[in-house]
Amino acid sequence: TMQVPEGFKVTVVAAEPDIVQPIGFAIDDRGRFFVAEAFNYGAWKAEGNDRITILEDTTGDGRADSRKVFYEGLNYVTGIEVGFGGVWVMSPPCLYFIPDRDGDDKPDSEPQVIFDGIGYKESRHNLANGFTWGPDGWLYFGHGRTSPSDVGRPGTPADQRIHCDGGVARIHPTRLVFENFADGTTNPWGVAFDDYGQCFVSNCVNPHLFHMIQGGHYEPWRNRPSSKYAYDRLPTIADHLHYPGGKWQASRGGTPETLAMGGGHAHCGTLIYLGDTFPKRYRNTALMCNVHGHRINNDILQRKGSGYIATHGKDLMIAKDQWFMGVTLKTGPDGSVYVTDWSDTGECHTYKPHKEEGRLYRLSYGDAKGKAPNLAAMSDMELVNLQLHRNDYHVEHARRLLQERSIKEGWNAEPVHAALRKMLKENEDVTRRLRALWALHVTGGTNEASLAALLDDHAEHVRAWAIQLLGEEDRPSDEVLARLAAMAKDDASPVVRLYLACVLQRLPGKDRWAIIEGLIAHEEDKDDANLPLMYWYALEPLVSQDRPKALLLAGKTKIPLLRQFIARRSAEK
């Protein structure tokens, strides 16, 4: 009874009793589904019984015919991903890694605590959640507002922990570093990247879709200490709501007016479609589950200035079954979209959910058949060639596999890096060049000199990503900082200027002045949705560092908002 556009169809991959309470899932390098089943949802317990189940379609007919339990005994699981010889699991207050380095689907040991201090006491549903491998080799996840965290490696003293109270965070899988990526929103559940490596999240309560920019502060504020001096926050990119009247509290209940506008205020499971089987109009558009609307919304992303505007598109799927409650969306190796159905009559505030239901569906276009290949069995050069595949499932997994191999002793990097450099230099499609750059970066094939050379590239997104990667770990050299200062003055791209503002927040205060002075001279940026505020977030710490110098900048800037904010910050202690 599900309603889908012409040419689409929905099939059942698995259903109860094979899976129940599916709060999230990941697809591994063989196309298998690692499903996190949240039996403990509603209450923390001393002894957990949440489990991870592996489902596999061994015949290629779209139905899971093999099931095995990988691990049982977790408590309050909210996210899962696979990679680097095991399974990453978000189970507040800890982020775990369950190793399975021999790939026999049996854990090599009990779960290893990678980070602890993740909030869980204040809220049962507004938590750290989900995982997504970013193009830069980091593992990204969303973080809800009402369960703040103080994250660190086990044993980290309280004064050395990193506070996080909402937004997007990330960890590096080999260096085991935790970072806040962007701050704000209410309950982002699902992180996704487009063909250009831009980050997006869907959200509950306040507007539903955000373009997440590194170092950004987002609405709502809600007295976040980290945003004390932000003064104003980055807005949603959506030019519409999925409910009438602007009052999210009144959007429940499925009134005809609310359903006509998209279904309600609660969203989760962000996916930017980058598969290869849907009609072209879906590529780089946002899909998200609408909890109260029992459907999958589709927002159309259009470039505007340094960022995007999201307009309302026709829903991808509407379920007549009022128990349908989609949570996680993933693109599979066949280009289809897979969605988990929590299958309940309540919502995220329900502390006594039905615990015997759960579904995994496939939304396909045309004839989607065939068994998934085993990417882990491919050679290095086959994985390199997959960077050109039209389906980003293959691209992402191949890139991560190369990243895993690159840290192993004796790995031969030379042919891989040579092929990727050729792709970066010669391919005419900028999105493929970006893929080559990201794969080079995660496998150790870039350095300051090679990234600095890309600062003169003709493609704005290549220049922008070179800037971000230059700021990832060590402080750039004085020569590179001088080049960035020149770009701040002269580069015509608002995307490049946005990335310069981002990298400033990763630099010592003394290194920011020359770059920020060039950025704030761009009068054409005064009405951009992101740039004035991102410039301010980078500039704000400098005001207390050197107030007279900051006031001189206030006199020079062509952006009125910055004059106002510099004056306001100068007047505060």
Side-chain angles (χ1 to χ4, degrees):
T1 62
M2 290 180 176
Q3 299 174 4
V4 291
E6 184 178 356
F8 285 86
K9 63 181 178 181
V10 185
T11 54
V12 179
V13 179
E16 66 275 353
D18 290 339
I19 58 168
V20 293
Q21 301 289 99
I23 201 164
F25 73 101
I27 306 177
D28 77 351
D29 302 324
R30 293 158 53 184
R32 303 183 303 167
F33 304 95
F34 279 65
V35 183
E37 298 178 283
F39 293 100
N40 286 1
Y41 182 83
W44 277 268
K45 300 177 181 179
E47 297 294 330
N49 63 345
D50 288 0
R51 72 185 176 202
I52 298 169
T53 300
I54 304 174
L55 301 174
E56 184 177 8
D57 170 15
T58 64
T59 64
D61 66 355
R63 180 88 185 199
D65 51 72
S66 170
R67 175 186 177 275
K68 62 182 74 172
V69 175
F70 175 73
Y71 187 84
E72 189 168 12
L74 296 160
N75 190 25
Y76 227 83
V77 169
T78 57
I80 184 171
E81 189 51 274
V82 293
F84 292 85
V87 181
W88 304 80
V89 180
M90 183 66 75
S91 179
C94 297
L95 190 161
Y96 294 100
F97 179 74
I98 307 176
D100 179 22
R101 303 194 188 283
D102 59 4
D104 64 354
D105 298 333
K106 297 177 182 179
D108 300 336
S109 69
E110 286 299 302
Q112 302 169 2
V113 178
I114 304 301
F115 292 99
D116 59 18
I118 296 168
Y120 69 100
K121 294 182 179 180
E122 289 82 355
S123 173
R124 304 185 189 194
H125 61 277
N126 204 315
L127 304 163
N129 66 83
F131 285 119
T132 302
W133 289 112
D136 50 11
W138 291 70
L139 189 57
Y140 286 74
F141 60 93
H143 195 299
R145 167 67 183 96
T146 58
S147 291
S149 300
D150 290 289
V151 183
R153 297 277 285 147
T156 301
D159 62 351
Q160 296 177 26
R161 289 179 171 268
I162 300 174
H163 186 74
C164 179
D165 64 356
V168 172
R170 64 179 188 170
I171 64 165
H172 197 278
T174 57
R175 294 191 284 119
L176 300 183
V177 174
F178 171 90
E179 290 186 355
N180 285 311
F181 183 77
D183 181 57
T185 75
T186 299
N187 191 12
W189 201 287
V191 182
F193 294 85
D194 73 359
D195 261 331
Y196 298 91
Q198 303 299 298
C199 180
F200 300 87
V201 299
S202 60
N203 185 54
C204 293
V205 181
N206 58 314
H208 61 270
L209 191 63
F210 290 86
H211 173 206
M212 302 302 285
I213 300 165
Q214 187 176 30
H217 296 264
Y218 290 82
E219 292 291 1
W221 178 44
R222 297 188 177 181
N223 297 312
R224 285 184 169 89
S226 56
S227 296
K228 181 178 180 180
Y229 298 114
Y231 296 149
D232 198 0
R233 271 71 55 188
L234 296 166
T236 177
I237 60 172
D239 66 358
H240 62 289
L241 298 173
H242 289 149
Y243 53 90
K247 295 181 179 180
W248 65 267
Q249 298 92 335
S251 73
R252 298 185 177 116
T255 66
E257 189 178 7
T258 296
L259 294 176
M261 294 183 66
H265 73 280
H267 306 79
C268 55
T270 324
L271 174 67
I272 306 299
Y273 184 74
L274 298 178
D276 59 344
T277 57
F278 283 18
K280 290 183 179 179
R281 66 179 180 274
Y282 285 97
R283 191 170 189 91
N284 285 307
T285 68
L287 301 173
M288 66 210 88
C289 298
N290 191 296
V291 174
H292 300 111
H294 313 291
R295 66 189 62 201
I296 299 173
N297 297 138
N298 181 207
D299 272 17
I300 313 303
L301 301 175
Q302 300 175 342
R303 171 79 180 274
K304 183 178 181 181
S306 68
Y308 296 83
I309 292 290
T311 60
H312 186 58
K314 183 179 180 181
D315 294 327
L316 179 63
M317 185 275 283
I318 300 175
K320 290 186 178 180
D321 178 8
Q322 295 300 293
W323 282 56
F324 176 81
M325 190 178 295
V327 178
T328 304
L329 292 161
K330 298 280 186 180
T331 305
D334 61 351
S336 299
V337 168
Y338 293 81
V339 57
T340 45
D341 176 10
W342 181 252
S343 195
D344 207 331
T345 57
E347 55 151 34
C348 59
H349 297 277
T350 299
Y351 292 161
K352 294 182 179 180
H354 296 271
K355 295 193 175 183
E356 297 179 353
E357 293 80 32
R359 314 282 171 83
L360 174 62
Y361 294 109
R362 178 177 72 172
L363 286 84
S364 58
Y365 184 82
D367 189 20
K369 290 183 179 179
K371 194 174 182 304
N374 182 2
L375 302 185
M378 291 185 176
S379 69
D380 289 349
M381 295 312 297
E382 287 176 315
L383 296 178
V384 168
N385 290 332
L386 281 179
Q387 298 309 297
L388 300 176
H389 201 287
R390 288 176 56 227
N391 183 355
D392 198 64
Y393 164 89
H394 299 276
V395 181
E396 175 192 312
H397 283 259
R399 179 172 59 237
R400 197 206 69 252
L401 285 166
L402 288 171
Q403 183 180 2
E404 293 177 14
R405 295 177 186 183
S406 71
I407 61 176
K408 295 180 180 179
E409 186 176 354
W411 184 67
N412 186 7
E414 184 176 350
V416 170
H417 290 166
L420 290 171
R421 291 187 183 108
K422 186 175 188 294
M423 190 183 301
L424 172 60
K425 181 179 180 181
E426 298 180 4
N427 200 285
E428 295 181 357
D429 185 337
V430 66
T431 67
R432 273 53 181 171
R433 298 183 62 219
L434 286 171
R435 293 173 177 184
L437 175 58
W438 297 328
L440 278 168
H441 172 71
V442 302
T443 58
T446 58
N447 55 32
E448 184 178 82
S450 65
L451 292 171
L454 295 176
L455 297 177
D456 293 315
D457 196 89
H458 65 87
E460 61 178 345
H461 284 96
V462 172
R463 300 198 302 278
W465 267 98
I467 292 167
Q468 176 167 327
L469 299 179
L470 280 165
E472 280 288 278
E473 296 181 44
D474 300 326
R475 172 188 177 274
S477 66
D478 289 342
E479 291 78 10
V480 168
L481 290 173
R483 179 73 183 92
L484 298 181
M487 294 179 74
K489 293 179 180 178
D490 301 329
D491 200 294
S493 168
V495 172
V496 169
R497 296 198 293 275
L498 178 66
Y499 274 64
L500 286 168
C502 295
V503 81
L504 279 176
Q505 295 190 56
R506 303 177 70 83
L507 297 178
K510 65 181 179 62
D511 294 331
R512 300 188 189 188
W513 291 97
I515 300 172
I516 196 67
E517 185 171 357
L519 292 175
I520 67 174
H522 288 272
E523 186 174 9
E524 67 270 29
D525 293 343
K526 64 183 177 63
D527 296 320
D528 189 271
N530 304 312
L531 293 176
L533 292 175
M534 290 302 299
Y535 295 165
W536 170 244
Y537 304 151
L539 171 58
E540 181 273 319
L542 303 183
V543 180
S544 57
Q545 182 186 109
D546 192 333
R547 195 164 304 179
K549 193 172 181 179
L551 289 171
L552 287 175
L553 288 184
K556 294 179 180 179
T557 182
K558 303 294 185 180
I559 301 175
L561 186 72
L562 293 179
R563 286 197 294 271
Q564 174 190 337
F565 284 177
I566 292 172
R568 178 177 172 182
R569 183 70 182 92
S570 296
E572 297 190 47
K573 292 182 179 180

